Amino acid sequence: MSKKPGPSLLTRQIILGTCLVFAAILFFVLLTNFTQVAAAVGKVWDLFSPFVSAFIVAYLLNRPVMFFERRVFTRFKHRRGLSVLTVYLLACLVIASLLSVVIPQVGDSLSRLVQNVTPYVNDLDKKLPDYIEQFHLDPTLTQYLFQAWEDILKSVTGFLQDLLPKLVDYSFAAGRGLLNLFMAVIASIYMLLSKTKLLRSCRRLTGAVLPAAKAQRLTNIARHSNQVFSDFIVGKLLDSVIIGILCFLGMLIIYQPYASLIALIIGITNIIPFFGPFIGAIPSVLILLIADPLAALIFLAFVIVLQQFDGNILGPRILGNSTGLSPLWVLVSITVAGGLFGFVGMLFGVPACAVLYSLCSEFIQHKLDQKRLEADCHVFTGPPAASEPEAEKQSEEPKA
């Protein structure tokens, strides 16, 4: 039975050219209607955001669920359901403990800060001339500082005035966020309970759509990505919790005000690699600067020591070399991902860049191996190919 002849080269070129023309037209239409396209994408994102949040929650809780399933409820028939129930009960217990212990202290710190802002400002205005005379500061610099201080006060006042009319909108947004959070939690429970079926369905779909070699390759990439993301996120969360607790205890020891509020800020921002210590230290120093400039200087020295301990001792012991990225690539990944996706991009940008970096390194090494080159591209690993004159000379020699 004869095979049907395939399309000719000219036909394939016509089809390819037509597809390129349509792609260019579509790209031009998208650019000219960027506002409408962005609005449509935003609506689609609003619809799917609870499920994305559910996937993130399920992914973060997957390791504890696996621990209980393999170590605690091994002999039970419904060990997956018992593990999921236990992990969510523990998560609710931890959240309730934080709300009952941390939130009142943070609220008390915020209320004291708001009540004492005016006395602090007046006291600072009185002390500034003494500081200027004591340290012999340049009049131009002092004038600039006074102007900057007035601008900051005007900005804060304007922000508070603009905030009051928007409280209703913020309340609706908060209610909608709580509803999405509830949906995300319910969806994450179903994801964890059906994890085996979902993974099997993904493998079946991959095997049905892609060739066997490419399907296996995609599976290996997914496993490697999961290992990198899981190790980095779990380690970074544990590291941030420890740093937050150490910051709270250290501030109590050196008698610093607003210990709970500042420890919470330092712990949360420490989740962000590289930039986290700076992001958390700036508002903390400003808060203490309003209360007591000397306390701000003491805290600045303390947080520098704390971050050195985290970067050189605690962080490497917890995270190890989970990403394998140099500081330059960490900086690039945080900057780019943070600019595109905000806080979530800063958190997930580093492991995503680590996966891309490993794939690029593997691809480059594969190409070098094909060309029989060393990593520095100067030395051939195999026998050099014969040049054309030598090959012709060898072919003319009679065989023995």
Side-chain angles (χ1 to χ4, degrees):
M1 193 173 178
S2 61
K3 295 182 179 179
K4 294 182 179 180
S8 63
L9 178 61
L10 179 60
T11 304
R12 291 199 297 268
Q13 290 179 347
I14 292 175
I15 295 174
L16 179 60
T18 305
C19 293
L20 290 176
V21 170
F22 276 109
I25 294 173
L26 179 61
F27 183 71
F28 176 76
V29 171
L30 292 177
L31 285 181
T32 54
N33 299 276
F34 183 77
T35 305
Q36 292 82 354
V37 173
V41 172
K43 291 181 180 179
V44 174
W45 172 254
D46 290 339
L47 291 175
F48 286 94
S49 59
F51 301 99
V52 176
S53 302
F55 175 78
I56 294 175
V57 173
Y59 188 80
L60 292 176
L61 297 181
N62 180 52
R63 274 201 173 185
V65 170
M66 292 175 60
F67 171 80
F68 281 98
E69 185 178 1
R70 296 175 180 178
R71 300 292 181 87
V72 180
F73 301 112
T74 308
R75 299 182 180 181
F76 289 81
K77 181 179 179 181
H78 302 286
R79 54 181 179 272
R80 172 61 61 83
L82 291 174
S83 302
V84 172
L85 178 62
T86 303
V87 169
Y88 273 88
L89 288 178
L90 290 176
C92 292
L93 181 62
V94 170
I95 293 174
S97 301
L98 289 176
L99 292 177
S100 61
V101 176
V102 177
I103 298 300
Q105 296 186 16
V106 172
D108 179 64
S109 299
L110 286 174
S111 62
R112 285 191 291 119
L113 180 63
V114 172
Q115 291 173 1
N116 297 326
V117 163
T118 303
Y120 287 156
V121 171
N122 295 331
D123 186 58
L124 185 61
D125 289 337
K126 294 178 181 178
K127 290 182 178 180
L128 269 178
D130 298 334
Y131 290 147
I132 293 170
E133 184 178 354
Q134 180 180 357
F135 294 103
H136 305 288
L137 298 178
D138 186 13
T140 306
L141 177 61
T142 56
Q143 184 178 2
Y144 174 76
L145 292 175
F146 273 117
Q147 184 63 37
W149 179 249
E150 291 178 0
D151 294 339
I152 292 174
L153 291 180
K154 290 179 181 178
S155 300
V156 172
T157 305
F159 173 76
L160 293 176
Q161 290 176 353
D162 296 338
L163 181 63
L164 293 176
K166 298 180 180 179
L167 287 179
V168 178
D169 296 335
Y170 290 154
S171 300
F172 280 110
R176 184 178 178 184
L178 290 176
L179 179 61
N180 290 338
L181 179 62
F182 178 75
M183 293 177 59
V185 170
I186 298 300
S188 65
I189 294 175
Y190 281 109
M191 288 181 182
L192 286 173
L193 291 174
S194 308
K195 186 184 75 170
T196 305
K197 295 181 179 179
L198 291 174
L199 292 177
R200 186 185 299 116
S201 300
C202 292
R203 287 194 295 266
R204 286 170 57 85
L205 178 62
T206 304
V209 174
L210 299 177
K214 292 184 178 180
Q216 184 61 41
R217 172 65 177 160
L218 184 60
T219 302
N220 294 335
I221 292 175
R223 288 174 179 170
H224 175 65
S225 303
N226 173 58
Q227 189 67 33
V228 172
F229 272 81
S230 181
D231 291 344
F232 179 81
I233 294 173
V234 173
K236 198 61 183 175
L237 289 175
L238 178 61
D239 175 70
S240 300
V241 170
I242 295 176
I243 289 298
I245 295 174
L246 291 178
C247 180
F248 176 73
L249 296 177
M251 293 191 69
L252 290 181
I253 292 174
I254 60 178
Y255 301 104
Q256 292 291 301
Y258 311 116
S260 302
L261 176 61
I262 293 177
L264 182 64
I265 294 174
I266 294 295
I268 292 176
T269 55
N270 194 73
I271 298 175
I272 302 173
F274 196 83
F275 289 113
F278 304 101
I279 296 175
I282 291 174
S284 302
V285 170
L286 290 177
I287 292 172
L288 291 175
L289 188 62
I290 296 175
D292 186 3
L294 181 60
L297 291 176
I298 295 175
F299 170 77
L300 185 60
F302 166 71
V303 80
I304 290 175
V305 173
L306 182 64
Q307 294 303 332
Q308 289 297 318
F309 167 75
D310 180 32
N312 297 314
I313 299 176
L314 181 63
R317 290 187 65 87
I318 294 178
L319 294 172
N321 195 23
S322 59
T323 60
L325 292 177
S326 64
L328 175 62
W329 287 113
V330 172
L331 179 62
V332 171
S333 62
I334 294 173
T335 304
V336 175
L340 293 175
F341 305 104
F343 179 81
V344 177
M346 288 185 175
L347 177 59
F348 292 99
V350 174
C353 183
V355 173
L356 293 176
Y357 184 85
S358 63
L359 293 177
C360 291
S361 300
E362 185 178 347
F363 173 77
I364 293 172
Q365 187 61 46
H366 175 68
K367 290 298 181 182
L368 291 176
D369 292 340
Q370 284 184 340
K371 297 181 179 181
R372 296 177 290 109
L373 288 170
E374 294 287 356
D376 56 2
C377 296
H378 289 297
V379 181
F380 282 97
T381 58
S387 60
E388 292 184 1
E390 292 180 354
E392 292 178 358
K393 184 177 180 181
Q394 291 177 1
S395 62
E396 291 177 357
E397 292 180 357
K399 294 183 179 180

